[in-house]
Amino acid sequence: MPRPPKPHTISVLAFDGMAPFELGCVVEIFGLPRPELEIPWYDLKVCAESRGPLRVVGGFTMQAEHGLDVLKNADTVIIPGANVHHPTSPALITALQEAHRAGARIVSICSGAFTLAAAGLLDGRAAATHWKYADLLRTRHPKVHVNPEVLYVDDGDVLTSAGSAAGLDLLIHLIRKDHGANVANTVARRLVVPPHREGGQAQFIEAAVTPVEEDDGVTRAMAWALDHLTEQITVGRLAGEAHMSERSFIRHFKRQTGTSPLRWVISQRVAASLAMLESTSVPVEEIGAAVGFESPVTFRHHFTRAMHTSPSAYRRTFRT
């Protein structure tokens, strides 16, 4: 009988003085068995330069089962947020470089981008980090193209995310890349998080929480749009659903989402097309119409702009 497929191995770094949230997210998403999905899940290994006990923010300690040697055999390496004022050790730099040369996918969360940059893995690449550290990363590593506006950057074999919670967005994105939209959506629902958040870090820079009225017109308009993606959606119609003037609606929408109403609608239409491309043989032209694009040309244009590939190429990747 054929052997079952080898599970995708993920190694995540633990270190003395770390905050536990990002490591916890990695463990929750990739370390928790999910037999209900009926697919080979990930094999997670927590590693550290020193196996411990490691002091963790919050007043407790932990011990890693593995050393840095597991990085070179990992399919994916994840580096949580690091202390930007502490230099990256030569041993970790060497281990990351060797893992990357061996073909591992390298991922950082929040200030973990500084660790990747210290290893030279971000030279000439676009990268994300927490908006608070964007200027420091740009100054310290001028070869890195820092994008302070996005929640995460997928540069193929090296991926970086913004602040800690944006790590969740990137980790769900990894599942989408590995197993498709349906599996990613299922995991997101179990975590009670959105499978994809719209907007970038701009919505969080000025104020972490924006006061929202009890009867939130923007949310009401967004819910209406999701139920009517196949129809013609204009700013005027959305503003009407929100019971606002167009100018006021655009201002409130930008403040709450970090993007414009029509850009958000386009992104929702692209997102709605993914599952159809992955799981059906419906022609691309019909899928575009089914999610509300006026023409196949418009669908291909916006899909390529959002996903950095064509609908047909995306379908071939997941169907293969």
Side-chain angles (χ1 to χ4, degrees):
M1 294 183 64
R3 293 181 179 180
K6 178 185 175 183
H8 185 108
T9 301
I10 293 181
S11 293
V12 58
L13 181 71
F15 51 89
D16 195 59
M18 74 180 306
F21 176 78
E22 294 161 16
L23 177 63
C25 290
V26 174
V27 173
E28 174 73 20
I29 291 177
F30 299 116
L32 185 68
R34 301 184 185 276
E36 70 279 6
L37 296 178
E38 299 182 348
I39 57 175
W41 203 237
Y42 299 87
D43 178 17
L44 179 66
K45 291 178 170 58
V46 179
C47 67
E49 291 188 60
S50 169
R51 299 190 182 183
L54 305 172
R55 295 166 297 173
V56 180
V57 173
F60 63 96
T61 61
M62 60 175 288
Q63 186 162 330
E65 183 177 351
H66 303 280
L68 294 182
D69 57 297
V70 300
L71 297 186
K72 62 184 178 183
N73 295 319
D75 298 305
T76 296
V77 174
I78 301 179
I79 306 297
N83 187 327
V84 299
H85 303 296
H86 290 177
T88 304
S89 74
L92 179 55
I93 289 176
T94 298
L96 285 173
Q97 292 171 339
E98 290 179 348
H100 186 245
R101 283 196 296 269
R105 179 172 60 184
I106 310 295
V107 179
S108 70
I109 301 175
C110 192
S111 55
F114 283 78
T115 304
L116 271 56
L121 300 182
L122 297 182
D123 288 355
R125 295 178 183 263
T129 190
H130 194 291
W131 57 265
K132 180 179 179 180
Y133 300 126
D135 288 339
L136 179 61
L137 180 60
R138 187 182 292 113
T139 301
R140 191 176 293 176
H141 301 280
K143 293 182 180 180
V144 181
H145 306 307
V146 182
N147 188 337
E149 300 178 357
V150 297
L151 295 177
Y152 60 84
V153 171
D154 180 345
D155 198 37
D157 59 341
V158 178
L159 302 92
T160 52
S161 84
S164 298
L168 280 170
D169 297 275
L170 179 52
L171 299 180
I172 294 296
H173 173 70
L174 292 178
I175 296 175
R176 178 185 292 277
K177 291 189 68 169
D178 295 341
H179 298 291
N182 288 336
V183 173
N185 292 347
T186 298
V187 174
R189 283 195 296 270
R190 301 289 166 82
L191 294 169
V192 198
V193 298
H196 178 69
R197 284 193 294 166
E198 297 305 321
Q201 295 193 73
Q203 58 188 305
F204 304 108
I205 291 175
E206 293 301 327
V209 178
T210 301
V212 179
E213 297 177 5
E214 185 174 340
D215 183 16
D216 181 5
V218 169
T219 300
R220 186 168 58 249
M222 293 168 75
W224 176 88
L226 291 175
D227 288 334
H228 297 81
L229 284 178
T230 59
E231 302 178 17
Q232 182 180 8
I233 299 176
T234 64
V235 174
R237 182 63 187 272
L238 291 171
E241 293 294 330
H243 304 304
M244 298 179 184
S245 68
E246 289 190 23
R247 179 176 297 180
S248 179
F249 176 75
I250 292 172
R251 184 175 67 254
H252 281 81
F253 195 98
K254 176 73 172 181
R255 186 181 66 183
Q256 291 183 218
T257 69
T259 189
S260 70
L262 293 185
R263 286 183 179 176
W264 177 84
V265 169
I266 289 170
S267 68
Q268 296 305 307
R269 286 173 167 161
V270 169
S273 73
L274 299 182
M276 297 178 68
L277 288 168
E278 294 173 17
S279 60
T280 75
S281 299
V282 175
V284 169
E285 294 77 8
E286 294 182 21
I287 291 177
V291 297
F293 287 104
E294 295 181 356
S295 71
V297 173
T298 302
F299 174 46
R300 289 190 176 93
H301 168 76
H302 289 297
F303 189 98
T304 301
R305 185 174 182 179
M307 303 301 294
H308 305 291
T309 188
S310 68
S312 298
Y314 181 90
R315 165 175 275 170
R316 285 194 299 271
T317 297
F318 281 94
R319 296 298 288 272
T320 300

